[in-house]
Amino acid sequence: MTALFLSDLHIDETVPHVQAGFERVLTEAVGIADDIYILGDLVEVWVGDDDDAATANRLRGALRAASEHSRVHVMHGNRDFLFGDRFAEETGVTLLADPTCVQIGERRVLLAHGDAFCTGDVEYQAMRRMFRSPDWQRSVLARTLAERRQLAAGLRAQSIAAGANKADGIMDVTAEAVAEAMADHGADLLVHGHTHRPAIHQLGDGKRRIVLGDWGRCGWTLHLGEDPSDDRLLCFGLP
């Protein structure tokens, strides 16, 4: 089994090069990756499965094509938590719970977006609970598409302002949250995104934490196979 992982592309109409790079990765995965895992924040914002913007339609097409040759799994992030059943049906992807454990070779791998581990940021965790609430999501989706786009723009502006006033470390994961999650799931390896701090962390006792990078100065992918020595966290140029 070979698996490809990526996260934090933050695709929208302002970064066509990122969307093109994503499409290239999906095309190159043909015959190589049995499973493709997208661990959150695939898009900068998702206002609902009825989004008819050109970028959203192009994204659906790329995922639909990829799902014909690989199993494509999508996890909600803090930008695209409104991906729903209609999106999954139209693209052929499987929506993953956060967190989810998978078996790759002899390894039990815990997958997560990563924001739940940033427990030092109490304000963010309160917002996260609200965004993930079914009642809040239903109330948002009951609005018109135009109203949801306006709401999303406002929330994005608030997020930027809030992040600018926080200490850098508070927005990273805490060691305690990571250790607890890995122990609860009996995981040998944790793979996540969100923090935009790509790295491979050795945690002792043969356990590791691999952080996916955000698609800014380059694109990031992680390739995992049955042999841990073949693991590759790659940064590559975008078109």
Side-chain angles (χ1 to χ4, degrees):
M1 173 185 179
T2 302
L4 173 69
F5 300 82
L6 55 157
S7 72
D8 298 279
L9 287 79
H10 297 273
I11 291 171
D12 67 12
E13 68 279 359
T14 68
V15 288
H17 62 293
V18 171
Q19 191 158 20
F22 174 59
E23 293 166 351
R24 185 178 70 188
V25 165
L26 294 181
T27 299
E28 292 174 351
V30 175
I32 298 175
D34 301 305
D35 291 271
I36 300 171
Y37 293 93
I38 303 169
L39 301 185
D41 289 0
L42 172 58
V43 295
E44 178 64 9
V45 65
W46 189 257
V47 295
D49 291 351
D50 57 343
D51 190 349
D52 58 1
T55 299
N57 287 331
R58 179 176 168 181
L59 179 68
R60 290 186 187 93
L63 289 170
R64 187 165 51 248
S67 66
E68 293 177 357
H69 61 74
S70 299
R71 294 181 293 268
V72 183
H73 315 266
V74 176
M75 182 176 287
H76 296 107
N78 53 297
R79 303 290 180 193
D80 44 24
F81 48 82
L82 289 179
F83 280 150
D85 292 340
R86 175 177 166 183
F87 171 79
E89 182 178 353
E90 291 178 344
T91 59
V93 308
T94 299
L95 296 178
L96 291 181
D98 182 5
T100 288
C101 255
V102 297
Q103 194 76 23
I104 299 180
E106 298 297 320
R107 291 180 289 179
R108 187 165 172 81
V109 184
L110 181 62
L111 310 179
H113 178 53
D115 56 339
F117 305 138
C118 301
T119 54
D121 192 342
V122 177
E123 180 184 6
Y124 173 81
Q125 293 301 325
M127 292 294 292
R128 183 182 187 275
R129 287 191 293 273
M130 182 183 75
F131 292 152
R132 301 297 181 107
S133 162
D135 289 340
W136 185 87
Q137 292 186 5
R138 278 192 294 269
S139 70
V140 170
L141 292 172
R143 304 184 187 191
T144 68
L145 192 54
E147 290 172 335
R148 279 177 268 146
R149 285 174 174 149
Q150 185 175 20
L151 173 64
L155 291 173
R156 176 62 179 139
Q158 292 176 21
S159 174
I160 293 172
N165 295 320
K166 291 178 182 176
D168 192 47
I170 203 172
M171 293 185 287
D172 200 359
V173 304
T174 62
E176 295 80 6
V178 166
E180 181 179 357
M182 293 186 71
D184 287 346
H185 293 273
D188 309 298
L189 170 63
L190 168 63
V191 179
H192 71 84
H194 178 67
T195 63
H196 299 187
R197 303 177 189 207
I200 299 177
H201 300 273
Q202 304 296 335
L203 305 179
D205 296 326
K207 299 183 185 299
R208 293 191 298 167
R209 175 170 69 96
I210 301 180
V211 187
L212 300 165
D214 65 303
W215 288 41
R217 65 181 180 86
C218 63
W220 287 91
T221 57
L222 169 67
H223 298 255
L224 296 183
E226 295 191 2
D227 187 343
S229 65
D230 293 332
D231 295 351
R232 291 175 292 148
L233 180 62
L234 302 176
C235 174
F236 55 90
L238 292 169

